[in-house]
C-alpha cells in the first residue's frame, strides 16, 4: 500500500468542513472553502497525472479492515471509469463555491460546511471498492443535500427537499436489500472486485438487476421516476443545482457501470432492450417537456432528463462506442449542464426572475454573458467542435448498432434538443428587450469568469481533442465489455 | 440447597443484590436528605458499583437458584444497556425534576428498583422469575408515570398503565399455568425438553399464544400498543425517556429467551411474530406521521422501532439474536439523545413538547440543533450514524434466513418512518423562530448529550467492536 492519495482526496473536503466550523467571518469561510476545494482539485490533477491508462486494474488502491465480522473493508481504488468522475466532482466543487459566493448570504458557514461534506461523500462514492462503504457514502449524501435544498432553496424548497429525500431513500433502501442478497450469494463479501468475479445464476441476477435498477433509475433519473428532479432543481440554490446535475445524476449511471453490468452481465444483456426503450422514452419525453417550459431552470432540468437518456442509451447499447460515448457524455453533461445552471443562477441573481418571457435582448446589456451562454448552448446541442458532439456521436453510432428504432428515436430527441435550446437562446439573448425587462444588467465580473472559464475550456478541449479523455476510460471499458459478453457467451 | 450452592447463587446475583440494597439504603437516607445533587450521585454510584460487579463476574456462565436464574454474557450485555439508560436518566433528571417539583428521593429509589427488576428479567430462565422481574419493573415505572401528581394526564396515564399492565400480566400468568399443567415445569430448559410429539399439543400452543401476548404487551407491539402513546405523553419526560429504552430492552431480553426456546420454535410462532413485526412497524410509522406532540411522536416512533427489532427476533439464530441486541444498544443511545434534547427544552413555562416549539431552533442554538439532527437521522437510519448499522444488521440476519420479502417490507416502512424524523429536521432548520427560549442546559444534561452523541456517531463509524461484543454475547454460544 503506497501513499494514500485517494483517502487524502476524499478526506480533504471533510477536514476543510471541520476547519470551517471554527471560523467566524463569512469572508474567511468563503476563502477557506475555496482554498480547500482548489487544493482537492490539485490533488485530483496529481492523481490523473499519475494515472496509468494502459491497464484496467484498479489503481491507487487502499484496503483496511473495517467490520471484519461481516467482511466489510475500507477499500478505495479507481479505474478509468471512476477517474473521470473523481476529477469532475473536484472541478465542480470549486465552481460551486464560486457560484455561491454572493448568492448565499445567510448561514454562509453552514452552507459551505454542507457543500464540503457533500463533496467528500461524492468523491467517496466514486472511489469506494467495498459495497458497504459505497452504500454509506451514497446514502449519507442525502443529509447535506437535503439541507442544501431545504435551507437555502427557493420558495417551495421544503416540499422539494422532502420529495428528493423520500424518492432517493426509497430507491436506495431496496438497493440495500439487493446488496445484502448479493452478499450472501457472492460468498459473504462486500468486495466489489470479488463479487464481479462471481458467476451468479440468472434467476438471482434478474432479481438483483431490478432491485439495483430502482435505486439507479431514481438517481439518473429515468422516466417514470424522474418527477423529483424538476422540483429539486428549481428549488435548489445554484450550487445545489450544479451538484445535482453535475455529479448526483451521474451516480445512477455509474451504478449501472460499476455494479449492474459487471456483476449481473447476463441480466444486463437480457434486459438491455427494455433499458434502451426506457432511455429512448426519457430522451423524447424529457425533450418535449423542456420544449414546453417558460422557467429557465425547469427547462435545463428537463433537458437533463433527456441528456441522461443518451447516457443510459449508450451504456445499454453494450458495445464499445456506446459505453465510451455514454461515459464521455456523463462528463460532458456535468460540464455543460453545470455551466447552464451557473448561467441561470447568474441571471437570476441580477433579475430575480427565471421566466423567459421577462428577458430578451440580453446581448446588448451583457455581451460577455451571452457569448459564453451561446457556447454552452451550442455544446448542449452537440454542435461539432464542442464536447457533446463527440459523446453524442459515439452514443448514436453505438445505439444504431444495438437497435435501429432506438437510435432513430435518439436522433429525434437530438432535434428536439436543438429546438428548445435555440428557442431559449432566442428568448433570452436576442431580439428587443421584453416590455418587462426593466432590469439594469451588469455583465459577468472576474469571480464569475473564474467559474465559467474552466468549464468553457473543457467544452472546447473535449470537443476538439477528445483523445486524452477517451484514453483514460478506454482500457476499463474494454475490460467491462469482456466481463459482460465474455460471461454471457459462457467463456 | 447447600451452603456452597447458595454462595454461588448469591455471587451470580451480586449486581442485583447491590442495586436492591443500595436502593433500600437510599430510601432511608432520602428521608434526611430530601433534595439536591447527593441523590443523583448516590444513585449513579450504586449503578456503577453494580456495573463493576457485573463486569467482574462476566467471565463465566453462572446458573443459580436451581435453574431460576443465570448470569451469562447475554444477561451481562443487557444489564449494561440498562445501566447506561438508568445512569443517563439520572443525569437528565436533576434539573427537570426540580422544575417539575418531583425531585425527592422516592423518584431515584423507584428507578433503582425498576433497574433491579429489569436485571432479573435479563437473567431469568424460569417463567416465574421472569414474572417477578417483570412485575417489579412494571410497578415501579407505573408509579413513576403518575409522579406528576397535579397533572391529570399523568394520573390518567398511570391508571391506564396499571390496568392494562395487570390484564397483560394475567394473560401471561395464564399461559404459564397452562405450561406448568401440561409439562410439569416452568423452567425454559424444561419446557424445551417437554417438546415431543408432532403435531404439538394444542394446549401448549394456546399457552404459547398467551405468553407471547403477555410479553408483546411489555414492548408495546401491536395489538397491545394502545397504552404506549398515552403513557409516554403523560409520564414525566425523563421517565418517558427511560421507559422507551430500558424496559423495552428488558422486554426484548425475555422475548429472545422465550421465543427462541425450542417449544416456541416448534409451534411455528415465528409466523405470528412476523405478522406482529410488520403490523407494529406499519402502525407506528403511519400514525406517527400525523402527530404534533413530540412525546407522542416519539412514542409511535418507539413502536415502529420495536417492530423493526422484532424482525430480528423473526430471523432468529445467532445473527438474529445479536442483531436485536445491537439494535437495542444503539437505540438506547439515539433515543436517550433525542429525549435529552426534549427534556432540555422544559424550562420556565416552556414545555418543548409541541414540534412547532422547535421552529428555527437551528438559528438560535446551532450546536444543539446539529445534535438533534444527528439523533433524528440516526433514528431514521441514515449512514454514517449508528442507526443505519442497527437496521443493516437486522436486514442481514433476515436475508441470511431467507426472509427477503420481510426485509423489503421493513425497508419500505422505514421510508415512511424517515418522513416524520425528517419533518422535525425541517421544523428545526427551515422555519423561522416563533419566540426566544432558553434551554435548561446543566452540565449533567450536556454530559448526557455528549455521551449519546458519541455513541450515535461512534458506533456508526466503528461498529466492529460492538458487533463482536453482541455476537459474543448471544446465549448458548
Amino acid at each position: 500500500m503506497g501513499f494514500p492519495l485517494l483517502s487524502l482526496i476524499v478526506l480533504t473536503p471533510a477536514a476543510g468542513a471541520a476547519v470551517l466550523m471554527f471560523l467566524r467571518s463569512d469572508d474567511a469561510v468563503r476563502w477557506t472553502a475555496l482554498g480547500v476545494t482548489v487544493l482537492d482539485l490539485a490533488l485530483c490533477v496529481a492523481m490523473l497525472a499519475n494515472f496509468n491508462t494502459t491497464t484496467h486494474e484498479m489503481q491507487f488502491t487502499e484496503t483496511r479492515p473495517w467490520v471484519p465480522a461481516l467482511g466489510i473493508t475500507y477499500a478505495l481504488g479507481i479505474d478509468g471509469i471512476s477517474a473521470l468522475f473523481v476529477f469532475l466532482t473536484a472541478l465542480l466543487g470549486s465552481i460551486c463555491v464560486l457560484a455561491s459566493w454572493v448568492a448565499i448570504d445567510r448561514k454562509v458557514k453552514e452552507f459551505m460546511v454542507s457543500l464540503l461534506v457533500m463533496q467528500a461523500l461524492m468523491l467517496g462514492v466514486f472511489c469506494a471498492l467495498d459495497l458497504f462503504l459505497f452504500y454509506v457514502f451514497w446514502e449519507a449524501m442525502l443529509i447535506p443535500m437535503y439541507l442544501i435544498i431545504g435551507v437555502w432553496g427557493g420558495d417551495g424548497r421544503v416540499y422539494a427537499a422532502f420529495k428528493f429525500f423520500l424518492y432517493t431513500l426509497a430507491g436506495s433502501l431496496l438497493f440495500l436489500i439487493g446488496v445484502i442478497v448479493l452478499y450472501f450469494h457472492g460468498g459473504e463479501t462486500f468486495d466489489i472486485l470479488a463479487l464481479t468475479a462471481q458467476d451468479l445464476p440468472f434467476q438471482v441476477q434478474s432479481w438483483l438487476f431490478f432491485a439495483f435498477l430502482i435505486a439507479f433509475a431514481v438517481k439518473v433519473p429515468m422516466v417514470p421516476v424522474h418527477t423529483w428532479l424538476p422540483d429539486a432543481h428549481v428549488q435548489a440554490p445554484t450550487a445545489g443545482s450544479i451538484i445535482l446535475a453535475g455529479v448526483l445524476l451521474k451516480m445512477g449511471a455509474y451504478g449501472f457501470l460499476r455494479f449492474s453490468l459487471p456483476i449481473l452481465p447476463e441480466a444486463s444483456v437480457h434486459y438491455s432492450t427494455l433499458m434502451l426503450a426506457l432511455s429512448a422514452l426519457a430522451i423524447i419525453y424529457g425533450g418535449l417537456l423542456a420544449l414546453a417550459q417558460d422557467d429557465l431552470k425547469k427547462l435545463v432540468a428537463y433537458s437533463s432528463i433527456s441528456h441522461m437518456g443518451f447516457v443510459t442509451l449508450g451504456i445499454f447499447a453494450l458495445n464499445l462506442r456506446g459505453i465510451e460515448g455514454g461515459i464521455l457524455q456523463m462528463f460532458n453533461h456535468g460540464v455543460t449542464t453545470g455551466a447552464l445552471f451557473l448561467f441561470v443562477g447568474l441571471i437570476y441573481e441580477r433579475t430575480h426572475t427565471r421566466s423567459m418571457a421577462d428577458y430578451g435582448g440580453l446581448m446588448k446589456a451583457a455581451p460577455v454573458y451571452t457569448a459564453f451562454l451561446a457556447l454552452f448552448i451550442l455544446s448542449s446541442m452537440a454542435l461539432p467542435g464542442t464536447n457533446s458532439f463527440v459523446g453524442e456521436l459515439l452514443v448514436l453510432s453505438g445505439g444504431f448498432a444495438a437497435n435501429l428504432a432506438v437510435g432513430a428515436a435518439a436522433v429525434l430527441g437530438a432535434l428536439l434538443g436543438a429546438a428548445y435550446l435555440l428557442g431559449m437562446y432566442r428568448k433570452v439573448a436576442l431580439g428587443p428587450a421584453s416590455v418587462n425587462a426593466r432590469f439594469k444588467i451588469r455583465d459577468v465580473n472576474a469571480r464569475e469568469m473564474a467559474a465559467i472559464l474552466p468549464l468553457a475550456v473543457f467544452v472546447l478541449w473535449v470537443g476538439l481533442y477528445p483523445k486524452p479523455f477517451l484514453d483514460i476510460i478506454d482500457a476499463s471499458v474494454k475490460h467491462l465489455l469482456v466481463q459482460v459478453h465474455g460471461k454471457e457467451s459462457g467463456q | 440447597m447447600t451452603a456452597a450452592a447458595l454462595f454461588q447463587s448469591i455471587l451470580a446475583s451480586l449486581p442485583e443484590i447491590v442495586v436492591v440494597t443500595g436502593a433500600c439504603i437510599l430510601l432511608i437516607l432520602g428521608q434526611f436528605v430530601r433534595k439536591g445533587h447527593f441523590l443523583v450521585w448516590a444513585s449513579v454510584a450504586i449503578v456503577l458499583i453494580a456495573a463493576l460487579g457485573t463486569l467482574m463476574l462476566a467471565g463465566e456462565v453462572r446458573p443459580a437458584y436451581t435453574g431460576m436464574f443465570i448470569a451469562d454474557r447475554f444477561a451481562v450485555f443487557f444489564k449494561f444497556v440498562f445501566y447506561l439508560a438508568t445512569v443517563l436518566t439520572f443525569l437528565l433528571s436533576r434539573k427537570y425534576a426540580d422544575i417539575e417539583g418531583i425531585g425527592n428521593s422516592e423518584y431515584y429509589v423507584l428507578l433503582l428498583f425498576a433497574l433491579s427488576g429489569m436485571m432479573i428479567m435479563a437473567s431469568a430462565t424460569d417463567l416465574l422469575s421472569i414474572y417477578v422481574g417483570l412485575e417489579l419493573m412494571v410497578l415501579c415505572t407505573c408509579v413513576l408515570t403518575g409522579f406528576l401528581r397535579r397533572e391529570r394526564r399523568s394520573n390518567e396515564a398511570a391508571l391506564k398503565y396499571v390496568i392494562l399492565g395487570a390484564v397483560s400480566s394475567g394473560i401471561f400468568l395464564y399461559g404459564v399455568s397452562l405450561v406448568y399443567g401440561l409439562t410439569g415445569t416452568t423452567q425454559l430448559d424444561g419446557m424445551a425438553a417437554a417438546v415431543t410429539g408432532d403435531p404439538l399439543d394444542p394446549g401448549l400452543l394456546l399457552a404459547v399464544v398467551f405468553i407471547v401476548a403477555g410479553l408483546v404487551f411489555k414492548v408495546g407491539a401491536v395489538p397491545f400498543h394502545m397504552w404506549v402513546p398515552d403513557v409516554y405523553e403523560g409520564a414525566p419526560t425523563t421517565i418517558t425517556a427511560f421507559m422507551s429504552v430500558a424496559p423495552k430492552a428488558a422486554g426484548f431480553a425475555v422475548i429472545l429467551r422465550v421465543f427462541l426456546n425450542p417449544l416456541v420454535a416448534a409451534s411455528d410462532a415465528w409466523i405470528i411474530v412476523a405478522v406482529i413485526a410488520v403490523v407494529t412497524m406499519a402502525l407506528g410509522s403511519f400514525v406517527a406521521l400525523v402527530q404534533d406532540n413530540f412525546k407522542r411522536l416519539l412514542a409511535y416512533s418507539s413502536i415502529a422501532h420495536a417492530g423493526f427489532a422484532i424482525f430480528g427476533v423473526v430471523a432468529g439464530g445467532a445473527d438474529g439474536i445479536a442483531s436485536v441486541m445491537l439494535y437495542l444498544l444503539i437505540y438506547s443511545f439515539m433515543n436517550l439523545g433525542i429525549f435529552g434534547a426534549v427534556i432540555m427544552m422544559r424550562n420556565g413555562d416552556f414545555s418543548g413538547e409541541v414540534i412547532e416549539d422547535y421552529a428555527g431552533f437551528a438559528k438560535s442554538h446551532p450546536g444543539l440543533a446539529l445534535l438533534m439532527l444527528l439523533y433524528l437521522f440516526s433514528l431514521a437510519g441514515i449512514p454514517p450514524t449508528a442507526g443505519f448499522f442497527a437496521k443493516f444488521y437486522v436486514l442481514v440476519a433476515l436475508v441470511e434466513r431467507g426472509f427477503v420479502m420481510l426485509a423489503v417490507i421493513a425497508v419500505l416502512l422505514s421510508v415512511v418512518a424517515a418522513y416524520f424524523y425528517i419533518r422535525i429536521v425541517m421544523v428545526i432548520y427551515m422555519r423561522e423562530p416563533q419566540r426566544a427560549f432558553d434551554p435548561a442546559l446543566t452540565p449533567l444534561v450536556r454530559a448526557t448529550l455528549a455521551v449519546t452523541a458519541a455513541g450515535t456517531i461512534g458506533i456508526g463509524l466503528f461498529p466492529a467492536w460492538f458487533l463482536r461484543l453482541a455476537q459474543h454475547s448471544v446465549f448458548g454460544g
Side-chain angles (χ1 to χ4, degrees), chain A residues 286-479:
Chain A
L288 285 174
L289 285 174
L291 202 54
Q293 300 305 319
D294 176 54
D295 183 314
L296 271 177
K297 232 175 172 181
K298 264 194 185 151
L299 188 149
V300 183
Y302 280 114
S303 84
S304 284
I305 296 174
S306 177
H307 284 134
M308 289 310 289
F310 275 100
V311 171
T312 48
L313 182 100
I315 291 172
F316 281 93
L318 295 177
N319 51 37
L320 185 66
R321 277 168 298 175
I323 295 182
E324 288 199 346
I327 295 172
L328 195 63
Q329 269 311 73
M330 280 157 76
F331 182 79
N332 292 337
H333 179 255
V335 171
T336 304
T337 308
L340 285 179
F341 275 119
L342 180 63
F343 274 81
V344 174
L346 293 182
I347 195 82
Y348 181 74
E349 276 168 37
R350 289 160 166 77
T351 63
H352 295 280
T353 171
R354 283 190 307 256
S355 167
M356 285 193 286
D358 292 342
Y359 293 114
L362 266 187
M363 194 170 250
K364 245 180 218 145
V368 183
Y369 176 91
T370 41
F372 276 99
L373 180 63
L375 174 72
F376 290 111
I377 282 191
L378 293 179
S379 150
S380 193
M381 275 164 52
L383 204 78
T386 63
N387 53 352
S388 303
F389 173 72
V390 185
E392 210 164 303
L393 192 70
L394 283 168
V395 168
L396 284 177
S397 77
F400 271 113
N403 188 317
L404 200 63
V406 168
V411 172
L412 188 63
L415 270 176
L416 276 175
Y420 61 75
L421 286 163
L422 287 178
M424 164 183 161
Y425 192 72
R426 181 179 60 79
K427 285 180 202 158
V428 172
L430 307 178
S434 111
V435 275
N436 298 326
R438 53 196 174 280
F439 326 107
K440 281 239 181 307
I441 306 226
R442 209 164 21 80
D443 212 340
V444 285
N445 60 27
R447 175 184 55 79
E448 290 156 355
M449 273 314 279
I452 296 169
L453 267 182
L455 296 173
V457 166
F458 278 102
V459 165
L460 294 172
W461 186 359
V462 179
L464 298 173
Y465 187 56
K467 188 168 178 304
F469 298 89
L470 290 171
D471 279 350
I472 292 177
I473 58 177
D474 191 51
S476 300
V477 172
K478 281 184 176 137
H479 178 66

Side-chain angles (χ1 to χ4, degrees), chain B residues 90-104:
Chain B
F90 286 142
L91 298 185
L92 284 175
S93 296
R94 172 74 184 86
K95 171 102 183 199
Y96 179 84
D98 275 358
I99 292 172
E100 295 286 2
I102 52 172
N104 44 19

Side-chain angles (χ1 to χ4, degrees), chain A residues 21 66-70 72 106-107 110 132 135-137 139-143 146-147 149-151 157-158 161-162 165-166 169-170 173-174 176-177 179-181 183-184 188 190, chain B residues 362-363 366 370 373 377 380-385 388-389 392-393 395-396 399-400 404 407-408 411-412 414-415 418-419 422-423 425-426 429-430 432 460-464 467 471:
Chain A
M21 297 266 203
W66 187 13
V67 190
L70 294 173
I72 298 171
R106 62 199 168 89
K107 298 190 205 165
E110 285 84 352
F132 184 83
Y135 188 83
V136 167
F137 282 130
E139 193 77 338
M141 284 186 310
L142 286 179
I143 303 175
Y146 173 73
L147 293 177
I149 299 176
V151 178
R157 57 184 188 268
V158 172
F162 267 117
F165 192 94
L166 292 177
L169 186 68
L173 282 171
L174 288 175
L176 179 65
I177 301 284
V179 166
I180 297 173
V181 171
Y183 168 77
F184 284 110
E188 311 222 344
F190 285 103
Chain B
K363 208 167 224 173
L370 196 65
L373 178 88
F377 274 107
I382 309 293
T385 58
F388 165 68
F389 196 79
F392 172 76
Y393 191 41
L395 294 176
V396 167
V399 174
E400 187 182 14
V404 180
V408 171
V411 300
L412 288 181
S414 35
V415 176
Y419 180 85
I422 305 314
R423 191 165 64 105
V425 176
M426 186 269 284
Y429 273 86
M430 301 167 200
E432 290 304 310
L461 290 177
F462 307 103
L467 176 66
Q471 285 180 332

Side-chain angles (χ1 to χ4, degrees), chain B residues 27 62 82 99 105 128 136 138 156 179 222 287 291 298 301 315 329 334 367 393 411 429 450:
Chain B
L27 187 59
R62 297 164 198 273
F82 306 151
I99 292 172
S105 63
L128 288 179
L136 182 52
V138 168
E156 187 187 321
V179 168
V222 175
V287 181
Q291 301 302 322
L298 286 175
S301 125
L329 175 68
M334 55 196 190
Y393 191 41
V411 300
Y429 273 86

Side-chain angles (χ1 to χ4, degrees), chain A residues 10-201:
Chain A
V10 173
L11 291 179
T12 300
V19 171
L20 286 193
M21 297 266 203
F22 298 99
L23 297 179
R24 295 215 171 265
S25 109
D26 282 353
D27 269 332
V29 166
R30 292 187 180 111
W31 282 107
T32 315
L34 184 65
V36 169
T37 49
V38 169
L39 173 68
D40 209 32
L41 183 60
L43 287 170
C44 286
V45 171
M47 179 269 292
L48 278 186
N50 288 306
F51 189 80
N52 181 356
T53 56
T54 56
T55 173
H56 64 78
E57 298 288 333
M58 290 292 168
Q59 306 181 32
F60 310 106
T61 50
E62 301 169 36
T63 313
R64 280 186 194 83
W66 187 13
V67 190
L70 294 173
I72 298 171
T73 54
Y74 171 82
L76 299 182
I78 50 169
D79 63 359
I81 298 173
S82 17
L84 216 48
F85 297 114
V86 171
F87 174 73
L88 178 68
T89 308
L91 175 72
L92 291 179
S94 308
I95 287 167
C96 282
V97 173
L98 287 173
S100 1
W101 205 269
V102 288
I104 303 298
D105 50 2
R106 62 199 168 89
K107 298 190 205 165
V108 176
K109 178 160 77 176
E110 285 84 352
F111 181 81
M112 291 298 176
V113 168
S114 308
L115 211 56
L116 289 181
V117 169
M118 188 74 201
Q119 185 174 341
L121 297 171
M122 294 188 297
L123 289 166
V125 164
F126 290 124
C127 292
L129 280 189
D130 183 279
L131 252 179
F132 184 83
L133 183 66
F134 174 88
Y135 188 83
V136 167
F137 282 130
W138 168 281
E139 193 77 338
M141 284 186 310
L142 286 179
I143 303 175
M145 201 63 212
Y146 173 73
L147 293 177
I148 287 175
I149 299 176
V151 178
W152 292 277
D155 294 334
R157 57 184 188 268
V158 172
Y159 170 76
F162 267 117
K163 201 166 172 183
F164 162 78
F165 192 94
L166 292 177
Y167 263 74
T168 324
L169 186 68
S172 310
L173 282 171
L174 288 175
F175 173 56
L176 179 65
I177 301 284
V179 166
I180 297 173
V181 171
L182 185 62
Y183 168 77
F184 284 110
H185 278 282
E188 311 222 344
T189 176
F190 285 103
D191 181 346
I192 292 172
L193 296 180
L195 289 170
T196 312
Q198 293 288 330
D199 216 351
L200 300 171

